[in-house]
Amino acid sequence: MKTRLLDGKFMSVMSDGSLDSAVMEEEIVYVRSASEGKVQVDFVGVKSVSKPDAANIAEAVCGMLDSEVSTDCKKKLVAITTDGASVMTGVNNGVVTKLRGDRCYVLGIHCMAHKLELSFSDGIRKNVMVRKVEDLLSGLYTLYHKSGINRASLKDHFRELHLKPLMPTRMGGTRWLPHFFNALDHFLRGYVGFVHHLEEKSQNTTNSNAVLRAKAKGFLNIAKDGGVLRFCCLLHDTIYQLSSFSKSLQRSVSTLAEAQSCLSSTQAAIQKYKSRPGPKLRSVLDTDTYEGVLLKPSDAGQHNKAKNELIGSLCQCITARFSGVNGGVLHAMRLTSFQCWPEADTSFDFGDEEINKLTSHFRHLLLSAGVGVDLIPGQWTILKAELYTAGFSQGTFEKTWPTVNRMLRHRCPDVLCLFDALLTIPASTADCERGFSVMKQVKSDWRSRPKSPNDLRPVALTSLVMKAMEKIIKEHIVRATEPLMDPLQFAYRARRGADDAKIFILDSIHKHLELPDSSARLLFVDFSSAFNTLQPHILATKLSSQFHLDDQLTLWILDFLTNRTQKVWINNCLSGLCALPLLYILYTDDCRSTHPNCHLVKYADDTVLLSLLSGSSQHHRPALQEFVEWCDSSKLELNVSKTKDMVVTFCRRPRDLAASVTTIIHGNPVEVVEEYKYLGTTFDNLLKFSANTEEILRKCHQRLYLLRKLNSFGVSSSVMMTFYCAFLESIMTFSITC
């Protein structure tokens, strides 16, 4: 690609943005080029943008072009195609303006497929009948999409009628026209099944609740309304024409000339529906039934009024949105479409005015590419004469620009270079949208393929008998070691838990901060695969010397952990043992601080080094050094990137003094944070817990929405109370102790 673009004379850029799963703006860039009449579209790159403003987006696009194509590629720019967002098309500070620079001939093209979508949205906005149809289609989608029971029942009705099951589809999305058309098409083709199912639901008083019956009855009344159904058919015919136009715009090789030609024909087809109904409307216009279902009578005059209003509004909005295409340089580009060429007897001065206009506009671009601009008008006359002489109008050869280049490149090189420049101009940014779609598929494919054993979930292969034996041994170990355990280890112990660990930390900090010129420093430690890095020989030594465990039991544990014939190893780490958490807290029991006012608070592998500082006291550093040395001797690996440091104080001076001392572990600085989530509670450096409260409030709002939805479905109060206790009360009362 890079070599081809460097050798080529012209290129155009397509750019579009999208939000990824991390809510980061991603900008994607494609380049369109043409050589000897053959159009080529190439992917350049995708780049994250820290802030989606014009300056950052333009910088990202320029950076991708400079790195993937060349630093001089912007001199070959013919056009820049984007969506219609103001950040892209702004006259003074838009992305197109920044990329154009002082090259005033570079065209800014608003994606024509996007223009068509906006025209459709504008045209139907104030139409009352369209609103009624939208409410019907979206209501049916919600009724069946949200309920598996309703969906299954609808499928059964289709099977009983010997019809292919068709489910209602969603109307919204990135493309309004195709989604609206699909929703209409499914409704009209599955009309019989929908009506029969709604009739059953509206009349069934035994197995359906009152809310469902009311909804089914309301949808049934609208669906059997003859005026609504005829308007649905009119919309189907109209949107079909617009969707066909949209699909032609989304082709990679579509040109502005083809778009202009399709625009005129589409408008003519829609205008014709005023006097002559389309195929779908024709099937229901002179009858009071549809697919065997009797329709409610409707007012023909009202239907004609709604029809004329819809078609008139759509045509008016399309004309307004595409007004710039039918004049100036863009209109002159119709020469690139052979459909616009006249018969031979009227071709004498065809295109002369357009050639002069195009040559004048792109003069600087053509001269920089080494094109003989003054020779173009003469070569245009030769080109026309040669093509018509060769039987162009009789169709004796293929009417494509590659064919014309093979025939006349040696005689008309300059005018064909001009047409190459025009062919590079894309009519839409559909390639960018397809690029984002492919990117999402690739991401999903990558995530579904494990690259290392760590991507797999370990599965314990220990037999049930051995697991039972482990639990028996575990209970014996607990009874023997409980009196000797570290009092600051709060995990896997009777009458202790996560709340006790948090209360100890908060109580110690609050008591200490009552002293003048005081502060507290918390180091939230993160271990790499803590449970899986136990060293059996070190553990056996600690069990024997520190806890005075029976020698036979110690040897049994050592034998159980080593030379296993049935085991799961992940990166040389043993996984899947019932007694592993208990063995871990025994393994780390001697990890205790010997320095005054320094505490190592442990909840399994969630460890906090709490240092209570006064004035310029620096005893946090020796305590930290002691802890790091213990980890190294015990073969526990510290994850410095996930380890966080926090300074808690109510006075600015101690906070600044403590924060100025950077915590270093193995030569790497530890990040100082203002908030940290520890054992489910978010601590902050002022102990206000506002972030924790906001997080609880956010979760409660999400679950309240689910509770309201259950209420709208008519769920019983007992089920709603169970849901409330499980999903709402549990969040609000988390970490509340009495």
Side-chain angles (χ1 to χ4, degrees):
M1 176 197 75
K2 191 170 185 178
T3 304
R4 186 179 67 256
L5 292 176
L6 287 173
D7 294 340
K9 296 180 178 181
F10 312 107
M11 57 177 278
S12 292
V13 171
M14 294 174 282
S15 180
D16 197 6
S18 177
L19 292 177
D20 66 358
S21 58
V23 201
M24 287 287 293
E25 177 77 12
E26 298 278 351
E27 201 67 24
I28 194 169
V29 174
Y30 277 77
V31 166
R32 174 162 158 159
S33 60
S35 178
E36 297 184 359
K38 185 178 180 181
V39 177
Q40 186 76 31
V41 177
D42 295 293
F43 169 72
V44 175
V46 60
K47 190 174 183 179
S48 299
V49 181
S50 58
K51 184 180 179 182
D53 57 6
N56 284 296
I57 294 175
E59 182 182 355
V61 173
C62 288
M64 284 185 277
L65 291 175
D66 291 344
S67 61
E68 300 299 330
V69 185
S70 75
T71 55
D72 297 330
C73 65
K74 290 186 283 295
K75 295 179 181 179
K76 302 178 181 181
L77 272 182
V78 181
I80 305 165
T81 302
T82 64
D83 60 18
S86 58
V87 70
M88 305 298 289
T89 59
V91 177
N92 297 321
N93 292 307
V95 174
V96 174
T97 303
K98 292 182 178 295
L99 293 177
R100 180 188 290 132
D102 57 355
R103 297 177 293 275
C104 58
Y105 56 82
V106 176
L107 299 173
I109 306 295
H110 180 181
C111 172
M112 297 186 72
H114 186 239
K115 269 189 179 182
L116 184 63
E117 298 279 342
L118 294 175
S119 303
F120 175 71
S121 178
D122 294 341
I124 66 173
R125 181 173 294 136
K126 296 181 180 179
N127 195 294
V128 178
M129 288 298 293
V130 174
R131 295 281 81 81
K132 186 176 288 189
V133 172
E134 285 182 338
D135 291 343
L136 172 63
L137 297 179
S138 59
L140 289 175
Y141 172 76
T142 304
L143 179 67
Y144 293 107
H145 181 74
K146 301 281 185 178
S147 171
I149 296 175
N150 291 340
R151 196 162 53 248
S153 177
L154 177 62
K155 289 180 180 179
D156 291 339
H157 270 73
F158 274 108
R159 294 189 187 97
E160 291 174 4
L161 295 169
H162 304 288
L163 297 173
K164 179 182 177 181
L166 286 171
M167 294 294 108
T169 61
R170 187 168 64 96
M171 289 180 53
T174 55
R175 287 290 180 193
W176 304 316
L177 279 172
H179 290 159
F180 202 155
F181 180 76
N182 286 339
L184 269 174
D185 190 57
H186 278 222
F187 171 68
L188 293 175
R189 287 197 291 134
Y191 182 78
V192 179
F194 292 133
V195 169
H196 278 74
H197 185 254
L198 291 173
E199 285 177 343
E200 180 190 280
K201 288 295 180 183
S202 63
Q203 297 170 3
N204 189 348
T205 59
T206 56
N207 296 327
S208 61
N209 58 56
V211 175
L212 179 58
R213 288 199 303 273
K215 286 183 178 180
K217 188 175 181 179
F219 293 144
L220 182 63
N221 289 333
I222 300 174
K224 296 181 72 173
D225 188 326
V228 173
L229 187 67
R230 291 184 179 90
F231 196 81
C232 286
C233 294
L234 172 65
L235 275 175
H236 187 280
D237 292 331
T238 306
I239 297 177
Y240 176 79
Q241 297 294 337
L242 295 175
S243 296
S244 300
F245 180 30
S246 179
K247 289 177 182 178
S248 69
L249 291 174
Q250 294 175 44
R251 293 186 303 116
S252 292
V253 295
S254 64
T255 63
L256 288 174
E258 293 172 350
Q260 293 169 5
S261 177
C262 288
L263 174 63
S264 301
S265 61
T266 301
Q267 281 185 294
I270 294 175
Q271 284 279 12
K272 197 171 184 179
Y273 288 155
K274 277 188 175 183
S275 56
R276 182 180 178 183
K280 206 73 177 178
L281 179 58
R282 203 179 304 131
S283 63
V284 296
L285 201 56
D286 298 325
T287 179
D288 57 355
T289 62
Y290 181 70
E291 300 291 338
V293 177
L294 183 63
L295 302 176
K296 295 179 182 178
S298 61
D299 186 0
Q302 194 72 20
H303 170 74
N304 289 331
K305 181 182 177 182
K307 176 181 67 174
N308 293 333
E309 181 183 341
L310 173 68
I311 295 175
S313 177
L314 282 176
C315 291
Q316 183 181 355
C317 292
I318 291 173
T319 302
R321 287 281 182 180
F322 288 88
S323 58
V325 178
N326 296 321
V329 177
L330 297 183
H331 181 69
M333 293 181 189
R334 67 190 184 96
L335 298 181
T336 58
S337 175
F338 290 119
Q339 296 176 356
C340 300
W341 285 40
E343 296 295 328
D345 53 355
T346 58
S347 65
F348 176 73
D349 58 352
F350 165 69
D352 293 347
E353 181 181 349
E354 286 84 352
I355 286 292
N356 291 332
K357 189 178 293 185
L358 292 169
T359 303
S360 174
H361 181 83
F362 292 110
R363 185 177 186 84
H364 294 291
L365 174 66
L366 297 171
L367 289 174
S368 64
V371 178
V373 177
D374 297 333
L375 302 176
I376 290 178
Q379 291 182 8
W380 167 244
T381 303
I382 295 173
L383 179 72
K384 287 192 298 178
E386 289 287 347
L387 290 179
Y388 282 113
T389 302
F392 172 79
S393 56
Q394 286 78 30
T396 56
F397 64 91
E398 187 181 7
K399 297 179 183 179
T400 62
W401 285 109
T403 303
V404 174
N405 272 266
R406 286 193 297 269
M407 292 172 56
L408 300 171
R409 192 74 183 183
H410 62 289
R411 291 205 61 189
C412 310
D414 299 299
V415 72
L416 289 176
C417 281
L418 171 62
F419 279 105
D420 278 346
L422 301 180
L423 290 171
T424 64
I425 303 175
S428 73
T429 58
D431 286 294
C432 296
E433 296 181 17
R434 285 190 285 267
F436 278 122
S437 178
V438 171
M439 185 175 72
K440 291 175 182 177
Q441 292 174 8
V442 170
K443 282 185 176 180
S444 300
D445 187 53
W446 284 352
R447 290 168 183 154
S448 63
R449 294 183 181 182
K451 302 177 182 62
S452 66
N454 273 339
D455 294 335
L456 301 172
R457 182 176 180 84
V459 179
L461 299 178
T462 311
S463 65
L464 293 176
V465 175
M466 187 55 69
K467 284 185 179 181
M469 183 65 180
E470 276 187 66
K471 291 183 178 180
I472 296 172
I473 298 297
K474 177 183 174 182
E475 292 175 1
H476 181 76
I477 296 173
V478 169
R479 287 194 298 270
T481 59
E482 176 67 28
L484 301 175
M485 282 190 187
D486 182 3
L488 296 185
Q489 173 61 263
F490 294 91
Y492 310 115
R493 300 181 67 181
R495 295 179 296 280
R496 292 192 178 204
D499 290 344
D500 297 290
K502 289 180 280 189
I503 289 172
F504 175 83
I505 293 174
L506 290 173
D507 184 60
S508 301
I509 293 174
H510 277 293
K511 286 181 179 178
H512 179 71
L513 292 183
E514 292 178 356
L515 304 175
D517 202 20
S518 59
S519 63
R521 192 155 196 156
L522 293 92
L523 184 73
F524 297 97
V525 180
D526 185 85
F527 293 102
S528 297
S529 302
F531 284 10
N532 299 329
T533 53
L534 300 185
Q535 303 298 315
H537 61 285
I538 298 178
L539 175 63
T541 302
K542 292 182 178 183
L543 292 176
S544 178
S545 61
Q546 191 172 323
F547 294 99
H548 311 295
L549 206 62
D550 182 80
D551 291 341
Q552 296 297 324
L553 183 57
T554 302
L555 290 174
W556 185 91
I557 294 173
L558 180 63
D559 184 67
F560 181 71
L561 295 177
T562 56
N563 300 322
R564 291 168 59 89
T565 58
Q566 191 179 35
K567 54 183 175 287
V568 178
W569 288 91
I570 301 296
N571 285 354
N572 297 322
C573 302
L574 193 62
S575 301
L577 301 180
C578 298
L580 199 58
L582 174 62
L583 296 178
Y584 176 81
I585 65 174
L586 296 176
Y587 188 83
T588 59
D589 187 79
D590 60 334
C591 181
R592 310 184 189 189
S593 177
T594 60
H595 296 267
N597 291 331
C598 286
H599 308 284
L600 271 167
V601 183
K602 295 173 285 186
Y603 187 86
D605 60 332
D606 290 311
T607 304
V608 179
L609 176 58
L610 172 62
S611 301
L612 306 175
L613 309 176
S614 298
S616 58
S617 174
Q618 298 295 323
H619 58 258
H620 173 74
R621 184 169 293 175
L624 173 64
Q625 186 64 30
E626 180 185 48
F627 172 70
V628 173
E629 290 176 355
W630 180 89
C631 292
D632 293 340
S633 63
S634 299
K635 310 299 182 184
L636 289 178
E637 183 181 351
L638 290 169
N639 190 342
V640 182
S641 63
K642 292 185 178 181
T643 298
K644 305 299 177 184
D645 199 7
M646 181 189 293
V647 179
V648 179
T649 182
F650 301 142
C651 304
R652 177 169 292 278
R653 182 177 172 275
R655 188 190 309 142
D656 294 340
L657 179 64
S660 63
V661 181
T662 305
T663 302
I664 305 294
I665 298 178
H666 295 150
N668 298 312
V670 177
E671 181 185 359
V672 179
V673 296
E674 295 183 355
E675 297 176 356
Y676 187 83
K677 192 169 188 177
Y678 175 68
L679 299 179
T681 302
T682 302
F683 287 68
D684 60 81
N685 59 351
L686 295 177
L687 299 183
K688 291 184 176 180
F689 294 96
S690 55
N692 185 69
T693 305
E694 291 174 1
E695 177 68 13
I696 292 174
L697 189 62
R698 183 185 64 82
K699 291 181 178 179
C700 288
H701 278 308
Q702 291 177 344
R703 286 156 176 78
L704 274 173
Y705 169 77
L706 299 176
L707 194 65
R708 287 194 295 268
K709 294 300 289 184
L710 287 175
N711 186 42
S712 68
F713 294 150
V715 177
S716 64
S717 58
S718 60
V719 174
M720 292 179 63
M721 180 59 70
T722 302
F723 180 88
Y724 168 80
C725 295
F727 288 89
L728 275 160
E729 187 180 33
S730 60
I731 295 173
M732 292 186 287
T733 58
F734 179 73
S735 289
I736 295 180
T737 56
C738 300

